[in-house]
Amino acid sequence: MTAPPARGRVATCAYAVYDPVKRRLTLASAGHPAPLLVSPEGEVATVEVDVGPALGTAHGTYETATYGLDDGAVLCLYTDGLLAGSDEAAHTLRRVLTHQDRALSETADAIAYALADEQAEDDAVLLLARARGLSDDQAVHWDLPSDPSVVAAARALAGRQLAAWGLEAITFETELIISELVTNAIRYGEGPVSLRLIRDRHLTCEVTDGSNTSPHMRRAHDTEEGGRGLYLVMSMSYRWGTRYAARGKTVWSQQSLPSRTE
């Protein structure tokens, strides 16, 4: 039996994931103010998303909303403290956001100056993010059969793609990461299984399967032959994690790109 949460220990949360390959934004809200979306032309609209209960208040379900974003669109997330329940402040925020000719840092400063309130009793947080999609040659995707024999083929596919991108210097680490993630997806997950590589500021490896079972890193004993896969992924990655969809999950890893030399 779980004890009820202590009074006052609640938090709102807005969670957003942007896929720069598909140019698609997915959001969910736990009692948080709806974000604003600014088109490249400066039109401001409220993001329509079903708002679930705040974290710590109740057991509830959370629905996601998905939007396609044009390059240059801006997502604006903020806390209640920024507007303090004022319709005038909400109007001011929208007015400032229409100026799409400014850098995001300039827009953030303009919002802060326009809405500054020394008498405010609540903290204010503002986050602006501009969408930037990737070109077709920056990502590659493969559907894989849910069979252990496909792991070697996945490594070979990745190796050829890294060579095409001029990233041979990180081939060994990338192939090892892919081996571990694809093996885990086949052994512990459900089909279908897919692999995606994305080359941007980092190299991102994503392995998706149809199970919602979360992978857990553990400390393997010296006498164990397995149990070190996720530790190796963590050790060779700039960062890594798991994200969930309505069905299935994606385990991803990011690596730093090798320095270019003349």
Side-chain angles (χ1 to χ4, degrees):
M1 181 176 177
T2 302
R7 181 176 297 177
R9 294 185 179 180
V10 299
T12 65
C13 177
Y15 191 93
V17 175
Y18 175 62
D19 186 330
V21 178
K22 298 180 179 179
R23 291 172 168 79
R24 186 171 63 191
L25 178 73
T26 303
L27 305 102
S29 174
H32 202 77
L36 299 176
L37 189 60
V38 190
S39 73
E41 296 74 30
E43 298 177 357
V44 183
T46 301
V47 177
E48 299 295 336
V49 57
D50 290 335
V51 179
L55 303 179
T57 58
H59 297 287
T61 59
Y62 301 93
E63 301 295 332
T64 59
T66 301
Y67 290 84
L69 295 191
D70 294 327
D71 286 354
V74 171
L75 180 69
C76 173
L77 299 108
Y78 56 92
T79 59
D80 283 328
L82 185 69
L83 304 182
S86 167
D87 291 338
E88 181 180 353
H91 176 75
T92 299
L93 174 61
R94 287 173 172 264
R95 175 176 53 79
V96 177
L97 286 172
T98 60
H99 296 279
Q100 280 283 59
D101 55 331
R102 295 186 290 204
L104 291 186
S105 58
E106 296 175 350
T107 301
D109 287 343
I111 292 172
Y113 291 133
L115 298 178
D117 183 0
E118 296 181 356
Q119 306 302 320
E121 298 180 356
D122 196 5
D123 293 336
V125 178
L126 171 71
L127 175 64
L128 302 177
R130 194 185 304 276
R132 181 178 65 87
L134 300 179
S135 59
D136 292 340
D137 62 353
Q138 289 182 270
V140 63
H141 173 276
W142 298 283
D143 293 318
L144 306 174
S146 187
D147 187 307
S149 64
V150 79
V151 177
R155 287 197 303 266
L157 290 169
R160 288 194 291 270
Q161 186 60 50
L162 292 180
W165 282 337
L167 300 178
E168 295 93 334
I170 57 173
T171 297
F172 175 79
E173 294 88 345
T174 305
E175 289 185 348
L176 181 55
I177 289 171
I178 288 172
S179 291
E180 297 299 336
L181 297 185
V182 172
T183 297
N184 283 349
I186 293 173
R187 181 177 297 173
Y188 305 112
E190 300 175 3
V193 176
S194 65
L195 167 64
R196 185 167 72 163
L197 298 182
I198 302 172
R199 175 181 57 84
D200 191 21
R201 288 174 294 180
H202 301 87
L203 177 70
T204 303
C205 302
E206 298 181 341
V207 175
T208 301
D209 71 82
S211 169
N212 287 321
T213 303
S214 176
H216 295 284
M217 185 168 57
R218 67 182 183 87
R219 182 182 179 88
H221 298 291
D222 294 339
T223 56
E224 291 183 286
E225 294 184 4
R228 298 174 176 83
L230 288 179
Y231 178 79
L232 292 174
V233 171
M234 179 197 70
S235 301
M236 295 185 177
S237 302
Y238 166 71
R239 59 181 180 174
W240 74 283
T242 305
R243 68 174 184 269
Y244 297 89
R247 179 181 182 276
K249 66 179 180 298
T250 297
V251 183
W252 55 268
S253 162
Q254 286 188 338
Q255 299 162 260
S256 298
L257 298 181
S259 301
R260 294 177 179 264
T261 57
E262 298 295 337

